[in-house]
Amino acid sequence: MGLTKSFWWLVLAALLPWAGASRAAGPDADGLRGRLASVEWLQRHLSRDDVLVLDASTPSARPRQRIPGSQPAGLFTFGPREVTAAQMESRLRSLGASPGMHIVIVDEGGSYGATRLFWDLLQAGLPADSLYILDGGMARWTARGGAVTDQVSPARPPGTLRVGVPAPDTRVRLPEFLAATADPHANVLLEALDPEYFYGGASFFGRAGHVPHATLMPSDDFFNEDKTFKSPAEMQRMLDHLGIRREQQVLTYCGGGGAAAVPFFALKYMLGYPKVKLFVESQRGWLQDPRDLPVWTYGAPHLVRDTDWLKAWGSPMLKRFGLSQVTAVDVRPAEAFGLGHVPLAVNVPGDVFKANLRRPEALAAALGQAGLDRSHEAVVLSEGGLNESSALAFLMLEQAGQQKVSIHLDSLDRWIDQGGDVARPAATTSAARSAPSAPSAPAAPAAPPNAATTRSGERHGVLLSDPHQSAGLFPTVFIASGAQAPTRAPAGRTIHLPYTQLLDAGGKPKAAKDLWTLLSKAGVPRYARLVLFADVPGAAAVNYVLFRMMGFADIKVWLP
């Protein structure tokens, strides 16, 4: 009873971190960052009765050495089988889980085992503020001198945990996921697989590619080299680069629901994105659907069109009844156009686009004079293939504010071989007299020099007069796109990637998987501000179309 007041203050100070810590922060906030626990924190609290370590390492990577006292959580590794709430509760109790515990999940580090188990426990009704992931996993634990054992840890006394209601708004089913593909403005379908799967170079289930309108963001992108998670600021910069906004619904998926748990965890519990769900069936569920749902290999395959598509959507009958919003823009010289062309096509020769690279008002006037409706999809026709003339027209039509632009890859001869009608000057006049014509939209106004994308289909601010203007979120990489090294090059990292290497013998884009191989070997980063240039602007424009097709986010064209 003779203890001094100062002694009691020392005792209270020692107890405060435990007694006063919030439920969300855990028993000691030092070393906890949101739902991440540091190695140092776990080293200090490993022996506590209210800390339960679950080893969720993927089976192929399960280490021979494990953290002393950790319990195997193999039941929760991803797969087609789902367990009932009763089974989950029984298993968790057998591992020693009780109410009020702090459950720390560990995997090999830089993987998806821990984040997938985190999601599984949410589905079992465990509150998120009782769950933690060991940042860096076993890789960082051993690197920082954490204790390990090669012995199976003895079972803990049975716990008394009762599972509750699954966390709301954390899982998406196929019907909602499918509907989301129809509205990429409001929804992000985030694929967590590696680029080889996204672009069709590898596949899990026999059909290579990705869900239409998906955004590539592999799970590896979220980790540092030491297997820890990247900082929230760095993750946010990547998401901003890809255009993934907080107000969008983000639906993560992969091949079988494992890797997709990494972006789910990072966006929802590290960055606080309000609407994030995991599609646990992922590609397995998508491809098993009896409707034979489509997959893409290019990031944006709709930027090129073939003859069958144009015959269907650009047909005179649909135009006659006002049902077509497609206009063929033939960029061949007027003389070639006069000898025969796709019915109802308008002629804007390629020289018009070349002459008005820096004269947007004059180009807008020429397009209006040709009768091009800016609300239509403008399908660029040329001699065939993806060439400098068609690509430059594509680029300049976008800059003029055309709502949607694509390129017809087949030649007029191919069009005729597939049974397409050909309009001659006399036939064109007759058709114009007999078919009712819709009023032309006003000529497209000049795009502001540095305006950002304002709506779907408009990509203003792509053309640069100064290669270093309008810096992006990531460093700039210059892509020299002509056959020869350019006579004038900007200061900075430059990759020489002639567009001819990216086309096949017929002048069409190579398969997406082959393009990805070429781009990755050349060292083109996925997170960069890419500035394309060449002595001839059309050469840079071809690479612009190709990089757009591959889904790269920040692409500019410099006009030296």
Side-chain angles (χ1 to χ4, degrees):
M1 302 298 291
L3 294 175
T4 64
K5 183 183 295 186
S6 60
F7 174 80
W8 286 113
W9 276 115
L10 290 172
V11 173
L12 181 61
L15 292 175
L16 273 175
W18 300 94
S22 69
R23 184 69 181 85
D28 184 351
D30 182 23
L32 297 180
R33 179 163 58 102
R35 310 273 38 97
L36 289 179
S38 70
V39 164
E40 292 76 13
W41 182 91
L42 186 57
Q43 285 175 328
R44 290 196 302 271
H45 304 301
L46 182 60
S47 62
R48 289 188 57 87
D49 291 338
D50 63 348
V51 173
L52 173 62
V53 179
L54 298 182
D55 185 349
S57 301
T58 51
S60 61
R62 190 176 301 281
R64 292 182 179 179
Q65 293 186 318
R66 52 186 60 84
I67 296 173
S70 64
Q71 302 296 310
L75 174 66
F76 308 121
T77 53
F78 83 98
R81 184 182 62 177
E82 296 191 38
V83 298
T84 66
Q87 289 174 313
M88 186 73 80
E89 181 177 281
S90 174
R91 178 58 173 160
L92 287 170
R93 287 185 175 187
S94 72
L95 296 175
S98 292
M101 278 190 166
H102 297 80
I103 300 175
V104 181
I105 309 168
V106 59
D107 61 15
E108 59 269 28
S111 186
Y112 55 79
T115 54
R116 175 54 202 258
L117 176 54
F118 186 101
W119 183 87
D120 280 328
L121 297 180
L122 289 176
Q123 296 305 295
L126 275 68
D129 63 4
S130 68
L131 303 175
Y132 299 88
I133 289 178
L134 183 63
D135 196 15
M138 286 299 297
R140 189 166 179 85
W141 177 264
T142 56
R144 291 300 181 95
V148 294
T149 179
D150 57 4
Q151 301 298 314
V152 176
S153 300
R156 295 177 62 132
T160 59
L161 181 74
R162 295 184 64 87
V163 299
V165 178
D169 299 324
T170 55
R171 180 173 187 174
V172 59
R173 304 280 183 171
L174 179 59
E176 180 186 350
F177 187 83
L178 177 58
T181 65
D183 188 1
H185 180 76
N187 300 278
V188 177
L189 310 169
L190 196 156
E191 173 160 329
L193 294 174
D194 291 337
E196 288 75 13
Y197 290 96
F198 187 85
Y199 292 118
S203 66
F204 284 117
F205 307 107
R207 291 176 61 200
H210 56 269
V211 170
H213 296 293
T215 297
L216 174 63
M217 197 172 186
S219 60
D220 288 347
D221 287 0
F222 293 88
F223 296 106
N224 296 307
E225 290 186 5
D226 65 357
K227 310 300 183 182
T228 58
F229 277 93
K230 291 180 178 177
S231 70
E234 178 64 12
M235 292 182 190
Q236 189 64 62
R237 191 160 65 116
M238 295 188 298
L239 293 166
D240 290 344
H241 176 79
L242 296 174
I244 300 175
R245 307 184 307 276
R246 288 182 175 270
E247 66 269 22
Q248 291 175 302
Q249 173 72 69
V250 181
L251 307 176
T252 69
Y253 83 98
C254 55
V262 174
F264 168 84
F265 174 82
L267 269 68
K268 193 170 186 70
Y269 292 100
M270 294 185 68
L271 294 173
Y273 271 58
K275 298 186 290 185
V276 187
K277 298 181 182 180
L278 189 148
F279 182 31
V280 65
E281 293 82 5
S282 285
Q283 279 197 358
R284 174 177 56 84
W286 181 269
L287 296 176
Q288 283 179 335
D289 189 88
R291 290 167 291 185
D292 196 25
L293 299 175
V295 290
W296 289 357
T297 53
Y298 295 108
H302 50 278
L303 297 184
V304 294
R305 303 297 192 185
D306 60 18
T307 290
D308 288 339
W309 186 94
L310 185 58
K311 283 170 63 179
W313 291 102
S315 71
M317 182 183 71
L318 290 183
K319 288 183 175 292
R320 185 174 298 115
F321 290 100
L323 301 177
S324 173
Q325 294 186 338
V326 171
T327 298
V329 181
D330 196 322
V331 299
R332 295 176 301 152
E335 297 78 10
F337 181 82
L339 295 176
H341 56 82
V342 170
L344 302 183
V346 300
N347 183 216
V348 185
D351 287 343
V352 173
F353 295 100
K354 292 179 183 178
N356 294 298
L357 286 173
R358 295 177 174 85
R359 302 171 60 207
E361 296 86 354
L363 177 60
L367 297 176
Q369 184 178 2
L372 180 60
D373 188 334
R374 67 177 295 175
S375 69
H376 282 194
E377 176 175 346
V379 185
V380 179
L381 283 71
S382 65
E383 294 80 6
L386 176 58
N387 53 58
E388 295 182 13
S389 180
S390 62
L392 190 61
F394 176 99
L395 173 62
M396 297 307 296
L397 283 166
E398 278 196 343
Q399 300 316 292
Q402 193 69 29
Q403 185 168 353
K404 192 175 183 180
V405 189
S406 58
I407 294 178
H408 181 249
L409 291 179
D410 294 335
S411 65
L412 186 64
D413 289 340
R414 175 67 173 167
W415 171 271
I416 295 171
D417 290 343
Q418 294 197 11
D421 294 331
V422 175
R424 311 289 179 185
T428 302
T429 301
S430 173
R433 290 174 181 166
S434 61
S437 59
S440 297
N450 293 306
T453 299
T454 55
R455 71 168 188 258
S456 178
E458 294 186 8
R459 297 177 66 87
H460 296 160
V462 168
L463 295 179
L464 303 179
S465 57
D466 177 353
H468 297 286
Q469 75 186 65
S470 62
L473 294 168
F474 286 86
T476 296
V477 175
F478 297 98
I479 309 293
S481 304
Q484 305 297 325
T487 56
R488 181 183 173 193
R493 180 187 175 192
T494 299
I495 297 173
H496 187 203
L497 190 61
Y499 77 81
T500 52
Q501 295 182 5
L502 308 180
L503 304 177
D504 65 18
K508 296 183 179 181
K510 290 183 177 179
K513 62 183 179 65
D514 298 326
L515 287 178
W516 171 249
T517 298
L518 291 168
L519 296 179
S520 59
K521 284 184 177 180
V524 178
R526 289 187 298 107
Y527 294 100
R529 175 180 179 265
L530 302 178
V531 176
L532 316 177
F533 72 105
D535 287 336
V536 179
V542 175
N543 268 353
Y544 174 76
V545 175
L546 292 167
F547 277 87
R548 285 281 314 281
M549 289 180 65
M550 293 295 284
F552 282 80
D554 188 359
I555 318 169
K556 308 293 183 184
V557 175
W558 173 43
L559 300 177

